[in-house]
Amino acid sequence: MILSRYLNREVFSSTLAILGVLFAIFISQRIVKYLAQAASGDISGTMVWQMVLLYSPVLMGFLLPLAFFLGCLLAFSRLYVDSEMAVLRSVGVSEKKLISLLLPISVIIALSGGAVSLWLAPVANETTYQIRDEHASKLELSMLEPGRFQIFQEGEGVVYADSSDNPSHLGNFFLAELPSEASPYTRIISAKSAQRYYDETMDKNFLQLNDGYVYELDANKNVRKITEFENYYARLEAERSIVSRRKISATPTMKLLETGDGASWAEFHWRLAVPLSVPFLLLLAVPLSRVKPREGKFAKMLPALMVYIGYIVLIVIFRKWVEAEKIPGWLGFIPIYLVMALFGFRLLHAHGRANNKNKVKKAKD
């Protein structure tokens, strides 16, 4: 029990430190990207930190298996360098026994990664799309250009306005709204001037039209009603003004299983790979971390990273095959997991034989 707590604490602290470093590197790159978008006016300054906050769980899910793999490598390499592994082997603790002792931390990492990749990351992606759509709707209002007809409200209307000396006002405003589910009549609104603004209290976009008329036309284009107004307020519903096309990364996991096409299966297995990778990476990390005391604890880091990169490349290839339905969707990445398991057990078996030979040799000496 004492040894198990010691090993789990070592791996956990190494994993946490590596995750922090990797997260800081990647999130800083994303912050730079968002700040550039804010500088060009694509997003607001407030949105920068909202986007960073929402991107964090997505990034965490991506980095967690790698951080755990490197954490195991560093922790066990240090044990080899400090000759602690030699002591453990002398009392009968094999590499297979070490893997079983690390099951508690691997289960915690796998469950955390699964919660992030299967639930939290899709929610964060969908929220990001909603924020971008809402911001785009606000931009739609502010981007009305005087002197030209423009499509408005996703094709439900056409708007025209002359320029004005006041930058926040438009002159000789014209708005035509086509029949919709809310109203079966065509409405034409004309006004001498219009003011555009965003009400932060109501979180709505408004156009205030001044001194004009509202013409309501029936299906035969006959005028059925004329209304004169001094001030008229037209509200632009941000929630339905612009709805961008979502990537499949924003789709809830259960909906992926209901859809069942190639793209949905590929995305499902991509998310499932985060928790399932943890036990297989542990199986590889323990034998790959084996170093001689004089080699240093980073001696096997490069070969181990090459193994991890090969694993990610296989994941990407199989994802494309599943998307293209070249292999069954239910099969997913199972062949990759089998290869990793065979490779890991092969390394453990080879190390076990080498340890036995050393014991026999020492006994003869």
Side-chain angles (χ1 to χ4, degrees):
M1 182 61 73
I2 295 176
L3 178 60
S4 176
R5 282 203 301 266
Y6 172 66
L7 294 176
N8 280 275
R9 187 172 61 248
E10 285 289 314
V11 172
F12 179 74
S13 58
S14 299
T15 301
L16 202 61
I18 294 171
L19 182 63
V21 173
L22 293 176
F23 181 80
I25 293 173
F26 285 96
I27 201 68
S28 60
Q29 295 177 347
R30 186 58 65 136
I31 290 174
V32 171
K33 177 183 176 182
Y34 290 149
L35 288 176
Q37 291 179 349
S40 62
D42 293 337
I43 61 176
S44 65
T46 307
M47 281 182 62
V48 171
W49 303 112
Q50 290 177 327
M51 306 288 277
V52 169
L53 184 63
L54 291 169
Y55 182 68
S56 296
V58 181
L59 183 60
M60 283 283 188
F62 178 73
L63 295 177
L64 199 55
L66 175 60
F68 177 69
F69 182 60
L70 295 178
C72 291
L73 287 171
L74 281 180
F76 282 96
S77 296
R78 190 192 66 77
L79 295 180
Y80 276 107
V81 171
D82 295 343
S83 300
E84 294 182 33
M85 287 299 298
V87 176
L88 291 176
R89 278 205 301 268
S90 66
V91 296
V93 179
S94 63
E95 290 180 336
K96 293 179 182 177
K97 179 65 177 178
L98 289 176
I99 292 175
S100 66
L101 292 175
L102 285 173
L103 285 179
I105 184 64
S106 62
V107 170
I108 292 173
I109 296 292
L111 290 177
S112 303
V116 171
S117 64
L118 296 172
W119 172 71
L120 191 55
V123 172
N125 283 327
E126 173 61 26
T127 307
T128 302
Y129 277 115
Q130 291 176 3
I131 292 175
R132 284 188 175 276
D133 289 347
E134 187 175 350
H135 180 70
S137 298
K138 295 170 185 175
L139 283 179
E140 182 182 50
L141 186 64
S142 63
M143 291 175 63
L144 290 178
E145 295 184 20
R148 56 175 294 192
F149 286 94
Q150 292 176 259
I151 303 297
F152 205 64
Q153 295 183 342
E154 289 189 304
E156 294 181 359
V158 176
V159 64
Y160 174 88
D162 285 338
S163 59
S164 172
D165 295 335
N166 191 330
S168 63
H169 287 69
L170 299 168
N172 295 325
F173 186 87
F174 169 85
L175 171 65
E177 292 181 329
L178 300 177
S180 62
E181 293 182 359
S183 173
Y185 305 111
T186 300
R187 292 202 310 164
I188 297 175
I189 305 171
S190 66
K192 291 183 178 179
S193 65
Q195 182 179 0
R196 50 192 177 185
Y197 70 93
Y198 170 68
D199 190 319
E200 294 184 357
T201 306
M202 299 180 65
D203 192 26
K204 299 293 182 185
N205 297 306
F206 284 93
L207 275 178
Q208 179 184 331
L209 309 181
N210 306 312
D211 300 327
Y213 296 90
V214 178
Y215 302 92
E216 199 168 85
L217 281 64
D218 58 20
N220 298 320
K221 307 300 179 185
N222 296 320
V223 178
R224 61 179 296 273
K225 186 178 180 182
I226 300 176
T227 305
E228 183 179 6
F229 63 84
E230 184 175 349
N231 296 113
Y232 180 90
Y233 296 91
R235 191 177 72 182
L236 181 66
E237 294 288 352
E239 293 79 2
R240 65 179 181 86
S241 295
I242 295 178
V243 179
S244 62
R245 184 179 180 184
R246 265 58 167 167
K247 290 184 179 178
I248 200 167
S249 59
T251 305
T253 301
M254 292 305 297
K255 193 171 182 179
L256 294 176
L257 293 175
E258 294 173 1
T259 305
D261 58 5
S264 299
W265 274 114
E267 178 65 20
F268 173 73
H269 286 293
W270 178 263
R271 297 178 187 178
L272 198 61
V274 173
L276 291 185
S277 296
V278 173
F280 295 105
L281 291 175
L282 174 62
L283 189 63
L284 291 175
V286 173
L288 286 175
S289 63
R290 184 170 182 165
V291 294
K292 296 177 181 178
R294 293 182 180 179
E295 291 179 338
K297 60 182 180 181
F298 298 105
K300 294 291 182 65
M301 194 60 67
L302 183 59
L305 281 176
M306 296 303 294
V307 171
Y308 184 82
I309 292 172
Y311 166 66
I312 295 298
V313 170
L314 286 176
I315 289 283
V316 172
I317 292 174
F318 269 71
R319 179 178 182 173
K320 291 187 179 298
W321 286 351
V322 174
E323 279 180 347
E325 299 185 355
K326 292 182 178 178
I327 58 176
W330 59 267
L331 185 62
F333 305 157
I334 292 176
I336 303 175
Y337 302 139
L338 291 177
V339 170
M340 291 182 64
L342 289 174
F343 184 48
F345 283 120
R346 179 70 182 84
L347 288 176
L348 290 174
H349 178 68
H351 288 182
R353 290 185 62 184
N355 292 335
N356 290 334
K357 287 183 179 178
N358 290 334
K359 287 181 180 178
V360 172
K361 186 178 179 180
K362 289 180 180 178
K364 289 181 178 178
D365 294 340

